[in-house]
Coordinates of all heavy atoms in Angstrom, one line a residue:
Q1 N 29.3 6.4 3.2 CA 30.7 6.7 3.1 C 31.0 7.4 1.8 O 31.8 8.4 1.7 CB 31.5 5.4 3.2 CG 31.5 4.8 4.6 CD 32.2 3.5 4.6 OE1 33.4 3.3 4.4 NE2 31.4 2.5 4.9
H2 N 30.3 7.0 0.7 CA 30.4 7.7 -0.6 C 30.0 9.2 -0.4 O 30.6 10.1 -1.1 CB 29.6 7.1 -1.6 CG 29.6 7.7 -3.0 ND1 30.7 7.7 -3.8 CD2 28.7 8.5 -3.6 CE1 30.4 8.3 -4.9 NE2 29.2 8.8 -4.8
E3 N 29.1 9.5 0.4 CA 28.6 10.8 0.7 C 29.5 11.6 1.7 O 29.2 12.8 1.9 CB 27.2 10.8 1.1 CG 26.2 10.3 0.0 CD 26.1 11.2 -1.2 OE1 26.3 12.4 -1.1 OE2 25.9 10.6 -2.3
G4 N 30.4 10.9 2.3 CA 31.3 11.6 3.3 C 31.0 11.4 4.8 O 31.5 12.2 5.5
F5 N 30.1 10.5 5.1 CA 29.6 10.4 6.5 C 29.9 8.9 7.0 O 29.8 8.0 6.4 CB 28.1 10.6 6.6 CG 27.7 12.0 6.2 CD1 27.4 12.4 4.9 CD2 27.8 13.0 7.2 CE1 27.1 13.6 4.6 CE2 27.4 14.3 6.8 CZ 27.1 14.7 5.5
A6 N 30.3 8.9 8.3 CA 30.5 7.7 9.0 C 29.1 7.1 9.4 O 28.1 7.8 9.5 CB 31.3 7.9 10.2
S7 N 29.1 5.8 9.7 CA 27.8 5.1 10.1 C 28.2 3.9 11.0 O 29.4 3.6 11.1 CB 27.0 4.7 8.9 OG 27.8 3.9 8.0
L8 N 27.2 3.3 11.5 CA 27.5 2.2 12.5 C 27.1 0.9 12.0 O 25.9 0.6 11.8 CB 26.7 2.5 13.8 CG 27.4 3.3 14.9 CD1 26.5 3.7 16.0 CD2 28.6 2.5 15.4
H9 N 28.1 0.0 11.8 CA 27.8 -1.4 11.6 C 27.6 -2.0 12.9 O 28.5 -2.2 13.7 CB 29.1 -2.0 10.9 CG 29.0 -3.4 10.5 ND1 29.1 -4.5 11.4 CD2 28.8 -4.0 9.3 CE1 29.0 -5.6 10.8 NE2 28.8 -5.4 9.5
A10 N 26.3 -2.4 13.2 CA 26.0 -2.8 14.6 C 24.7 -3.6 14.7 O 24.0 -3.7 13.7 CB 25.8 -1.5 15.4
P11 N 24.4 -4.2 15.8 CA 23.2 -5.0 16.0 C 21.9 -4.2 15.6 O 21.8 -3.0 15.7 CB 23.2 -5.3 17.5 CG 24.7 -5.3 17.9 CD 25.2 -4.2 17.0
M12 N 20.9 -5.0 15.3 CA 19.6 -4.4 14.9 C 18.5 -4.9 15.8 O 18.7 -5.3 16.9 CB 19.3 -4.8 13.4 CG 20.4 -4.2 12.5 SD 20.2 -4.6 10.7 CE 20.6 -6.3 10.6
A13 N 17.2 -4.9 15.2 CA 16.1 -5.0 16.1 C 16.0 -6.4 16.8 O 15.7 -6.5 18.0 CB 14.8 -4.8 15.3
R14 N 16.3 -7.5 16.1 CA 16.2 -8.8 16.7 C 17.1 -8.9 17.9 O 16.8 -9.4 19.0 CB 16.5 -9.9 15.7 CG 16.2 -11.3 16.3 CD 16.5 -12.4 15.3 NE 16.2 -13.7 15.8 CZ 16.8 -14.4 16.7 NH1 18.0 -13.9 17.2 NH2 16.4 -15.6 17.1
H15 N 18.3 -8.5 17.7 CA 19.3 -8.5 18.8 C 18.8 -7.7 20.0 O 19.0 -8.1 21.1 CB 20.6 -7.9 18.3 CG 21.8 -8.1 19.2 ND1 22.8 -8.9 19.0 CD2 22.0 -7.4 20.4 CE1 23.7 -8.8 20.0 NE2 23.2 -7.9 20.9
L16 N 18.3 -6.5 19.7 CA 17.9 -5.6 20.8 C 16.7 -6.2 21.5 O 16.4 -5.8 22.7 CB 17.6 -4.2 20.3 CG 18.8 -3.5 19.7 CD1 18.4 -2.1 19.2 CD2 19.9 -3.3 20.7
T17 N 16.0 -7.1 20.9 CA 14.8 -7.7 21.5 C 15.2 -9.0 22.3 O 14.7 -9.1 23.4 CB 13.8 -8.1 20.4 OG1 13.3 -6.9 19.7 CG2 12.6 -8.8 21.0
V18 N 16.0 -9.8 21.7 CA 16.2 -11.1 22.4 C 17.4 -11.2 23.4 O 17.4 -12.0 24.2 CB 16.4 -12.2 21.3 CG1 15.2 -12.3 20.4 CG2 17.7 -12.1 20.5
E19 N 18.3 -10.3 23.2 CA 19.5 -10.3 24.1 C 19.1 -9.6 25.5 O 18.4 -8.6 25.4 CB 20.7 -9.7 23.5 CG 21.1 -10.4 22.2 CD 21.5 -11.9 22.5 OE1 22.0 -12.2 23.6 OE2 21.4 -12.7 21.5
P20 N 19.7 -10.0 26.5 CA 19.4 -9.4 27.8 C 19.9 -8.0 28.0 O 20.8 -7.5 27.2 CB 20.1 -10.3 28.8 CG 21.2 -10.9 28.1 CD 20.7 -11.1 26.7
S21 N 19.4 -7.3 29.0 CA 19.8 -5.9 29.2 C 21.3 -5.7 29.4 O 21.8 -4.6 29.0 CB 19.1 -5.3 30.4 OG 19.4 -6.1 31.6
G22 N 22.0 -6.7 29.9 CA 23.5 -6.5 30.1 C 24.3 -7.0 28.9 O 25.5 -7.1 29.0
D23 N 23.7 -7.2 27.8 CA 24.4 -7.7 26.6 C 25.5 -6.8 26.2 O 25.3 -5.6 26.1 CB 23.4 -7.9 25.4 CG 24.0 -8.2 24.2 OD1 24.5 -9.4 24.0 OD2 24.1 -7.4 23.2
V24 N 26.6 -7.4 25.9 CA 27.9 -6.6 25.7 C 27.7 -5.8 24.4 O 28.1 -4.6 24.3 CB 29.1 -7.5 25.5 CG1 30.3 -6.8 25.1 CG2 29.4 -8.2 26.9
A25 N 27.2 -6.4 23.3 CA 27.1 -5.7 22.0 C 26.1 -4.6 22.1 O 26.3 -3.5 21.6 CB 26.8 -6.7 20.9
A26 N 25.0 -4.8 22.7 CA 23.9 -3.8 22.9 C 24.5 -2.6 23.7 O 24.2 -1.4 23.4 CB 22.7 -4.4 23.5
Q27 N 25.1 -2.9 24.8 CA 25.7 -1.9 25.7 C 26.7 -1.1 24.9 O 26.8 0.1 25.1 CB 26.3 -2.5 26.9 CG 26.7 -1.5 27.9 CD 25.6 -0.6 28.4 OE1 24.6 -1.0 28.8 NE2 25.9 0.8 28.4

């Protein structure tokens, strides 16, 4: 943000591994 760009506050590797394919946050 200091450099002027947006980014994503979002789930990471563990979430993408353990949550099912229909997971709301991953989708």
